[in-house]
Amino acid sequence: MGRHSLPDSHAAEGRRGHPSTRRRTVAIATLLVLAVATGTAVAAKGGLLSFSESCEDSAVRLSVVASPDIAPAVRSIAEQARADEVKADGHCPVRSIAEQARADEVKADGHCLVVEVLARDAHKVAEALAAGDTEPDFQVWLPDSDLWLERAKGLGEGIPVSPSDSVASSPVALAMVPSASRALGWPRKTYTWAELVAGALGSDRVRLGAADPARSATGLLALAGIGASSARQGGDSDTRVAQTAKVLAERMSDGDTQVLETLARSTSGAEEGNPKRNQAALISEQAAFTHNTEATGAGKLDLFYPEDGTPLLDYPYTLVNEARLSTAESRAALRFMNLLGDRDAQATFAEHGFRAGDGSAEDSLVAAAGGRKPQPYAEPAVEAPSDEELRETLGMWTITVQSARLTTVVDASGSMATLVQGRNQSRMNVTKESLIQALDQFTPDDEIGLWKFATTLDGEQDYRRLMETKRLGDPAAGGGTHREKLTAAFAALQPVPGGATGLYDTTLASYKEARSTYVKGKFNALVILTDGSNQDTDGISRSGLVTELKKLVDPERPVPVIAIAVGPDADRDEVAEIARITGGDGYEVSDPAEIQAVILQAIMAAGQNGRAAEE
């Protein structure tokens, strides 16, 4: 998502280009056009955006939803701008807003700008925007990472977002209480991500906590960094990362605030010896800064910065549903973005423990957070993981932490013999290859089975179970493991000549079995891949299927359907409507090679929905 520079020189100076290469989708070009079209002159005056008209004329309200860690700094900046404006012209009164927000005013085109800053967890905002069920009550979003922008897009049917540059940043690091950090040679000893986590977890030396990667950008970026670092070591890196994920899950917190609360705050025997207290945590530098500001003496944290690079939380300034903003709101959003980029605002961010948007920071900020040379805290941030890499990491986390129980149901109708555009392979052959690749992401404890379906496949029956849903590591009859037998079964799949798509009967039958064989403590799901709509007119109707599924769904024993429409002839809307009854969703891939990534994305999404339902 390409970032875009600001029109004001002082704003551009505050953010000199972020190292992240993740692609942004939309710029706030509309705002820049408005600024030029109106011919409004903006003057920087000690952080104040000053205009000639009185604030008494009218006021424009700008609601900003920010990640809880950066919300206090944003409020402080808006507050100071209002105070400066009051001193400058004496016209702007303080307005009363809801108690959880503050009424802060600057001027925009001669009008008072009332800035309301609300603190909300980024994962909750992203989920609400992706759902698109209600119109947002805010115009600007400041998540802690641009990875949430991809989550907010969902299936492309939610509320659109338009990101711009980062207003601040903070690297992800590993914080330890002094006794633990000294045992690992801090600050002289440096490690890669993989070495650092292995050293901390080796022989149960350090109790290490982390926030849930499904709800925390810090947790997800750290886990992705550990995975990439482990891959560079070679060998069976997937197994090592899965083992790390399982250990982290044992001491996992819901979010960044909660993981900080688990840390021992003193070196007393009661604190450090308490098995419920962590001695280390994967957190941001800013979180460590905040912790150390409040802690005293030996309760302060030391920071390890991995030598193979730390990812950054990058706090992108993002417009929400830009097309729906009024002209006044658009202008106000641009003015406030400029304000957050000026020197005074950047100083305020630093006072709250944030680096500049490009990742640079004064040594004093790092020292307050717990960093010290020769830890490589001044090295450029590592290139941000791609959206695909993050999806794979989240999928791995979900299936590793919970262990998955998946029944895979593959369309074997004659149309699966159709060649994929641009490839000399059929839909079935590409689908088989993608499923075999996806299988590599699962551990021996995961349970996976296989069905295939086509009309009159087995007499009057449209479906056949080929492999029972059981542990991949279990021994199979005749030798080998269930994983090896399942891989062979995937490879042997062939289209049925003349067979049509018996989707409805197959969905009901496979769902009934998955529901009746539900295993508590695992992520149970039904994965259905089809390249067409239902063509069996002799079986159950669509309305009949919907009625039966509604009867079978049990929130206490959730089995979401993950329906993947393959190719141009499939009806994603149809399979999505059916899947959503069960708590799952429908996905569409134009190329079957995309199936592997979609399965992992779908597992992550369905797993997250399941946790939300449990709460």
Side-chain angles (χ1 to χ4, degrees), residues 506-529:
T506 302
T507 299
L508 181 59
S510 57
Y511 189 82
K512 282 182 176 179
E513 176 167 295
R515 171 73 177 73
S516 65
T517 58
Y518 178 90
V519 175
K520 188 175 181 180
K522 289 183 177 284
F523 172 73
N524 293 250
L526 183 66
V527 180
I528 300 178
L529 298 101

Side-chain angles (χ1 to χ4, degrees), residues 18 20 22 144-148 151 170-173 193 211-229 248 256 282-284 306 309-315 382-387 389-390 393-394:
H18 190 280
S20 168
R22 183 172 299 122
D144 56 359
S145 172
D146 62 0
L147 68 83
W148 299 115
R151 188 83 63 86
S170 188
V172 176
W193 270 114
D212 184 352
R215 305 180 182 194
S216 162
T218 302
L220 179 55
L221 289 172
L223 190 59
I226 295 166
S229 181
L248 291 176
D256 300 319
L282 294 163
I283 60 177
S284 70
T310 59
L312 285 177
L313 299 178
D314 59 353
Y315 304 92
V382 69
E383 182 177 328
S386 68
D387 295 327
E389 289 169 334
L390 290 173
T393 300
L394 268 174

